[in-house]
Amino acid sequence: MTTAAHDTPGVLVFMPLLFFWLVWKKEALSIFMLLIVFSISTYAIQEMRHIAMPVYTGEYTGAASFKDGFKIDGDAVRGFMVLEDGGIVYGNYRFSTPEEMQRKTGLIHNSVFAVSGVFEEIDVPSHEYAFDMADYLKSNGASAVFTINEFEYQKESTGFLAAMAERRELLKTHIRLSFPENLTSEAEALLIGEREALTTEQQQIQQTLGISHLFAISGLHVGIISGLLYFLLLRCGVRKEDAMLLLLIILPFYALLAGGAPSVWRAVSMTAAVLAFRLFRIRMPIAFILLLSFIFFILLDPYVIYKIGFQLSYGASFGIIYSMKILEKMQSPIRLGLMITFLSQFTLYPILLIHFYGLSLSSFLVNSLFVPLYTIVILPINILLLGLTLLYQPFADFLFYFYEPFRTFLEKWTVWLAEWPGQMWIPGKPSGIIVIAMLAGVILFYSYAEKGFRWWKIGIGMLPAVVFTAMPYFDGALRVTFIDVGQGDSALVELPYRRGIYLIDTGGLLRFGREGFEERNRPFEIGRQVVAPYLQGNGISRLDALILSHPDADHAEGADEILQLFLVDEIHMSPGSQKTELAIGLDQELNGVTVRLPGRGSGWRDGITSFSYLSPTDGEYEGNNDSLVLLMEHGIHKVLFTGDLEIDGENEIIKNDGDLLENTTILKVGHHGSKTSSGENFLVKVKPELSIFSTGEDNRYGHPAEEVKERFENLSLATLNTAEAGTIEIVFKKDGYTVSTVK
């Protein structure tokens, strides 16, 4: 069944800044009118599309086809689908056998399937920085998540776009068959905009060094390809006018072959516009061409404004165009490259903080080396190799013999560069007011820089970022956050004024054996995809200590990802647990990290906040009752973290440190509320004001157990569960504490 949906768009949020810019530039009245008409048209089109957008619920049976950009990983295919009524949904299907997967994989890109399944309720994200499926659907003009149960080929898709999708798939297959395996992911990214083959590690390296843009089809790629084609056409005796006309015909086809991403169409449309105006001898400022391209694509698809690639592509173009007076004064190619990189990063930094919570500091230097390398060497070589594999594979193989070792060396060198610490500036995700202040600062910089560039003027644009970065260090509150990691534990402690930051457990998943075809290239990782975004969204890039209560997967499986992504001074593990398989697997990530094995009696103090370990009492790790149990005392408040402590362990703590447990403010309930934990004697002794269960929704273990919940109710003890409340943040101030939840 379908019903109408309505949502207020946020397309016009930055319009006041654009008006300010036009007033400052003393632009003509016609420009103001154009902007007003554009704003009203965009708003109206967006409103009409939202009103008309169907919302799907219940079961569905009918025809559907996957849009370009779908992903096949392991035994699953996922991506946006077009239903027979024209509605767009996010579909997912799991193949039942390797034979079914092999039979259907080659058909998905260009076929209509008979499908049946159910539309799923969209989960609320576990915290404000976690992936938000509802926002993802909205930004792609979709309205539901569709779990497919039956998925059978019906017919081949027809039409021009289907034919181009078929050509793109053939080109992708050709690259994978004719290029060496270790070069295919780069070739696909550079030549046809296919980034799916890039591994998580490769993408992380690119983000750390700030070179991700080199692996996305952009104006640089389109310019090089257009230049090469233009040169070849002239060498073949084609007149200049005819060569430009042919390029105008070829470029849109290339955009479709390259996946049709917003950045591709921006680059192609601007290149085509420049060629068209030159062909017809019309003089048009490049800034006006950028504006026309921007307006055209938003009117064509208002949802494109939500896409990161669209924002970054037009933002970078804006920065370069309005930096021309500055760049013209750069006489050295090296200085010119550095300045282009710097101004692009400077212009984009508000957008980068919104989406990624930080940016690479090393990118300014790294790009001065990599941009010329990719422009002059790697991209042209890949174009040449693709052409040779299509014309004469043996000659291509001869060149691969020399090129492959060079790329292997460059890859190792790139990994080495990315391993240097302190390359990322992570101030966190700015609020709306801060974003507007940052954008206003960028616009003011360009306004003043046109009158003469001086480095101090950059401070105008960076001042909001400096203030935003410094804000947590003026916050006198103690914050304790229980991060919703599903069936697992993870808690973050932030001392007043950021004097110390401690992460207690990282969550994780129990990995069960899968058949070969079920193994995924990009498995879901709690540490990387849930815990890390929460830390980075709050501007945290360094931990004073990572505390692993014990080496169970649901507490520590994400530790390797945290150690990869953050600077960690110390790691605390239960004595004896360092010999377990999970802990041994962390060895390669522990370079420079101090390993401590604390037990009862260990602790430390920072100002009025003290930390004391109450367990374990010996150096032999035997299971849950050897969890690190940490008591934090802050003024009159106490917070007790119990890991997976069970009743025997609780009784041991009562015997040894019973007095310390009295008047506990917050209790992290042991073992997720298992019936083997939270004994009545322990709860009577601790008598917490608030107890936190950290569990997964509808988890297979039935946590928290009914008898445990009844025990808390009978003792009139207040509880919250991350499965129901999402991430729980508790803020301690002089006058008490406040509790906030996501759900």
Side-chain angles (χ1 to χ4, degrees), residues 474-503:
F474 291 91
D475 183 359
L478 167 72
R479 299 176 184 274
V480 178
T481 306
F482 297 91
I483 304 172
D484 178 12
V485 292
Q487 185 60 26
D489 266 17
S490 187
L492 178 68
V493 176
E494 301 172 72
L495 295 187
Y497 311 108
R498 284 271 167 97
R499 288 199 306 261
I501 301 175
Y502 309 98
L503 181 65

Short mmCIF file of all heavy atoms in Angstrom, two decimals, residues 474-503:
data_model
loop_
_atom_site.label_atom_id
_atom_site.label_comp_id
_atom_site.label_asym_id
_atom_site.label_seq_id
_atom_site.Cartn_x
_atom_site.Cartn_y
_atom_site.Cartn_z
N PHE A 474 36.63 24.48 27.10
CA PHE A 474 36.07 25.46 28.04
C PHE A 474 34.82 24.91 28.72
O PHE A 474 34.13 25.64 29.42
CB PHE A 474 35.74 26.77 27.31
CG PHE A 474 36.95 27.52 26.84
CD1 PHE A 474 37.47 27.30 25.58
CD2 PHE A 474 37.59 28.42 27.68
CE1 PHE A 474 38.60 27.98 25.14
CE2 PHE A 474 38.72 29.12 27.26
CZ PHE A 474 39.23 28.90 25.99
N ASP A 475 34.53 23.63 28.48
CA ASP A 475 33.35 22.98 29.05
C ASP A 475 33.74 22.31 30.36
O ASP A 475 34.52 21.36 30.37
CB ASP A 475 32.79 21.97 28.05
CG ASP A 475 31.51 21.32 28.54
OD1 ASP A 475 31.05 21.63 29.66
OD2 ASP A 475 30.95 20.48 27.80
N GLY A 476 33.19 22.76 31.46
CA GLY A 476 33.54 22.23 32.78
C GLY A 476 32.74 21.03 33.20
O GLY A 476 32.86 20.59 34.36
N ALA A 477 31.94 20.47 32.33
CA ALA A 477 31.09 19.32 32.69
C ALA A 477 31.84 18.01 32.48
O ALA A 477 32.71 17.89 31.62
CB ALA A 477 29.81 19.33 31.86
N LEU A 478 31.49 17.02 33.30
CA LEU A 478 31.95 15.65 33.10
C LEU A 478 30.88 14.92 32.29
O LEU A 478 29.69 14.98 32.62
CB LEU A 478 32.14 14.95 34.45
CG LEU A 478 32.32 13.42 34.40
CD1 LEU A 478 33.69 13.08 33.84
CD2 LEU A 478 32.14 12.81 35.79
N ARG A 479 31.30 14.23 31.25
CA ARG A 479 30.34 13.54 30.37
C ARG A 479 30.64 12.04 30.36
O ARG A 479 31.78 11.63 30.15
CB ARG A 479 30.41 14.10 28.95
CG ARG A 479 30.05 15.56 28.88
CD ARG A 479 30.21 16.14 27.48
NE ARG A 479 29.95 17.57 27.49
CZ ARG A 479 28.74 18.12 27.37
NH1 ARG A 479 27.69 17.33 27.18
NH2 ARG A 479 28.58 19.42 27.42
N VAL A 480 29.61 11.26 30.57
CA VAL A 480 29.70 9.80 30.47
C VAL A 480 28.64 9.36 29.47
O VAL A 480 27.45 9.64 29.65
CB VAL A 480 29.47 9.11 31.83
CG1 VAL A 480 29.54 7.60 31.65
CG2 VAL A 480 30.50 9.59 32.85
N THR A 481 29.07 8.70 28.41
CA THR A 481 28.16 8.31 27.34
C THR A 481 28.21 6.81 27.14
O THR A 481 29.28 6.23 26.97
CB THR A 481 28.54 9.01 26.02
OG1 THR A 481 28.59 10.42 26.23
CG2 THR A 481 27.51 8.69 24.94
N PHE A 482 27.04 6.19 27.18
CA PHE A 482 26.92 4.76 26.89
C PHE A 482 26.47 4.65 25.44
O PHE A 482 25.31 4.92 25.11
CB PHE A 482 25.94 4.10 27.85
CG PHE A 482 26.39 4.15 29.29
CD1 PHE A 482 26.01 5.21 30.10
CD2 PHE A 482 27.23 3.17 29.80
CE1 PHE A 482 26.44 5.27 31.42
CE2 PHE A 482 27.66 3.24 31.12
CZ PHE A 482 27.28 4.30 31.93
N ILE A 483 27.41 4.28 24.57
CA ILE A 483 27.17 4.27 23.13
C ILE A 483 26.37 3.02 22.76
O ILE A 483 26.71 1.91 23.18
CB ILE A 483 28.50 4.30 22.36
CG1 ILE A 483 29.34 5.52 22.79
CG2 ILE A 483 28.26 4.34 20.86
CD1 ILE A 483 30.74 5.52 22.23
N ASP A 484 25.34 3.21 21.99
CA ASP A 484 24.51 2.09 21.54
C ASP A 484 25.26 1.32 20.46
O ASP A 484 25.33 1.75 19.31
CB ASP A 484 23.18 2.62 21.01
CG ASP A 484 22.28 1.52 20.48
OD1 ASP A 484 22.57 0.33 20.73
OD2 ASP A 484 21.27 1.85 19.82
N VAL A 485 25.84 0.19 20.83
CA VAL A 485 26.59 -0.65 19.89
C VAL A 485 25.86 -1.96 19.65
O VAL A 485 26.47 -2.95 19.22
CB VAL A 485 28.02 -0.91 20.39
CG1 VAL A 485 28.85 0.35 20.37
CG2 VAL A 485 28.01 -1.54 21.79
N GLY A 486 24.56 -1.99 19.90
CA GLY A 486 23.82 -3.24 19.76
C GLY A 486 24.12 -4.14 20.94
O GLY A 486 24.23 -3.69 22.08
N GLN A 487 24.28 -5.43 20.66
CA GLN A 487 24.55 -6.40 21.72
C GLN A 487 26.03 -6.34 22.08
O GLN A 487 26.84 -7.11 21.59
CB GLN A 487 24.15 -7.80 21.28
CG GLN A 487 24.29 -8.87 22.37
CD GLN A 487 23.43 -8.59 23.59
OE1 GLN A 487 22.41 -7.91 23.50
NE2 GLN A 487 23.84 -9.09 24.73
N GLY A 488 26.37 -5.42 22.96
CA GLY A 488 27.75 -5.22 23.36
C GLY A 488 27.88 -4.04 24.30
O GLY A 488 26.87 -3.47 24.72
N ASP A 489 29.11 -3.69 24.62
CA ASP A 489 29.38 -2.58 25.55
C ASP A 489 30.34 -1.59 24.93
O ASP A 489 31.31 -1.98 24.26
CB ASP A 489 30.03 -3.11 26.84
CG ASP A 489 29.01 -3.39 27.93
OD1 ASP A 489 27.82 -3.48 27.60
OD2 ASP A 489 29.41 -3.53 29.09
N SER A 490 30.09 -0.31 25.18
CA SER A 490 31.04 0.74 24.88
C SER A 490 30.60 1.99 25.62
O SER A 490 29.44 2.41 25.50
CB SER A 490 31.14 1.01 23.38
OG SER A 490 32.18 1.93 23.11
N ALA A 491 31.51 2.56 26.39
CA ALA A 491 31.21 3.77 27.15
C ALA A 491 32.36 4.75 27.02
O ALA A 491 33.53 4.37 27.01
CB ALA A 491 30.96 3.44 28.62
N LEU A 492 32.02 6.02 26.92
CA LEU A 492 33.01 7.09 26.77
C LEU A 492 32.95 8.01 27.97
O LEU A 492 31.88 8.45 28.38
CB LEU A 492 32.72 7.88 25.49
CG LEU A 492 33.64 9.06 25.20
CD1 LEU A 492 35.04 8.58 24.86
CD2 LEU A 492 33.07 9.91 24.06
N VAL A 493 34.13 8.32 28.54
CA VAL A 493 34.24 9.25 29.66
C VAL A 493 35.06 10.44 29.21
O VAL A 493 36.21 10.29 28.76
CB VAL A 493 34.90 8.58 30.88
CG1 VAL A 493 35.10 9.60 32.00
CG2 VAL A 493 34.08 7.40 31.37
N GLU A 494 34.47 11.65 29.31
CA GLU A 494 35.17 12.88 28.98
C GLU A 494 35.26 13.73 30.24
O GLU A 494 34.24 14.20 30.76
CB GLU A 494 34.42 13.65 27.89
CG GLU A 494 34.23 12.89 26.59
CD GLU A 494 33.32 13.62 25.64
OE1 GLU A 494 33.75 14.65 25.08
OE2 GLU A 494 32.16 13.17 25.47
N LEU A 495 36.47 13.95 30.72
CA LEU A 495 36.66 14.76 31.91
C LEU A 495 36.42 16.23 31.60
O LEU A 495 36.49 16.65 30.44
CB LEU A 495 38.07 14.56 32.45
CG LEU A 495 38.43 13.17 32.98
CD1 LEU A 495 39.80 13.19 33.64
CD2 LEU A 495 37.38 12.64 33.95
N PRO A 496 36.13 17.04 32.64
CA PRO A 496 35.95 18.48 32.40
C PRO A 496 37.14 19.08 31.68
O PRO A 496 38.29 18.71 31.92
CB PRO A 496 35.81 19.03 33.83
CG PRO A 496 35.29 17.88 34.64
CD PRO A 496 35.94 16.67 34.05
N TYR A 497 36.84 20.02 30.79
CA TYR A 497 37.86 20.75 30.02
C TYR A 497 38.74 19.81 29.19
O TYR A 497 39.87 20.14 28.86
CB TYR A 497 38.73 21.61 30.95
CG TYR A 497 37.92 22.46 31.90
CD1 TYR A 497 37.87 22.15 33.26
CD2 TYR A 497 37.19 23.53 31.43
CE1 TYR A 497 37.11 22.92 34.13
CE2 TYR A 497 36.41 24.32 32.30
CZ TYR A 497 36.38 23.99 33.64
OH TYR A 497 35.62 24.76 34.51
N ARG A 498 38.21 18.64 28.86
CA ARG A 498 38.92 17.64 28.05
C ARG A 498 40.29 17.29 28.64
O ARG A 498 41.24 17.04 27.90
CB ARG A 498 39.08 18.14 26.61
CG ARG A 498 37.80 18.08 25.75
CD ARG A 498 37.71 16.71 25.07
NE ARG A 498 36.38 16.48 24.49
CZ ARG A 498 36.07 16.70 23.21
NH1 ARG A 498 37.00 17.15 22.40
NH2 ARG A 498 34.86 16.44 22.77
N ARG A 499 40.37 17.24 29.95
CA ARG A 499 41.65 16.89 30.58
C ARG A 499 41.98 15.41 30.38
O ARG A 499 43.14 15.01 30.48
CB ARG A 499 41.61 17.21 32.08
CG ARG A 499 41.63 18.68 32.42
CD ARG A 499 42.05 18.89 33.86
NE ARG A 499 41.21 18.11 34.76
CZ ARG A 499 40.17 18.60 35.45
NH1 ARG A 499 39.84 19.88 35.32
NH2 ARG A 499 39.46 17.83 36.24
N GLY A 500 40.98 14.63 30.13
CA GLY A 500 41.20 13.20 29.89
C GLY A 500 40.02 12.61 29.15
O GLY A 500 38.87 13.01 29.37
N ILE A 501 40.30 11.66 28.25
CA ILE A 501 39.25 10.98 27.49
C ILE A 501 39.53 9.48 27.55
O ILE A 501 40.62 9.03 27.18
CB ILE A 501 39.21 11.46 26.03
CG1 ILE A 501 38.98 12.97 25.97
CG2 ILE A 501 38.11 10.73 25.26
CD1 ILE A 501 39.05 13.54 24.57
N TYR A 502 38.54 8.72 28.01
CA TYR A 502 38.72 7.28 28.20
C TYR A 502 37.57 6.54 27.52
O TYR A 502 36.40 6.88 27.72
CB TYR A 502 38.75 6.94 29.70
CG TYR A 502 39.73 7.79 30.47
CD1 TYR A 502 39.31 8.91 31.18
CD2 TYR A 502 41.09 7.47 30.47
CE1 TYR A 502 40.21 9.70 31.88
CE2 TYR A 502 42.00 8.25 31.16
CZ TYR A 502 41.56 9.37 31.86
OH TYR A 502 42.47 10.15 32.53
N LEU A 503 37.92 5.54 26.74
CA LEU A 503 36.92 4.69 26.09
C LEU A 503 36.95 3.33 26.76
O LEU A 503 38.00 2.67 26.77
CB LEU A 503 37.20 4.57 24.60
CG LEU A 503 36.21 3.71 23.80
CD1 LEU A 503 34.82 4.36 23.80
CD2 LEU A 503 36.69 3.51 22.36
#
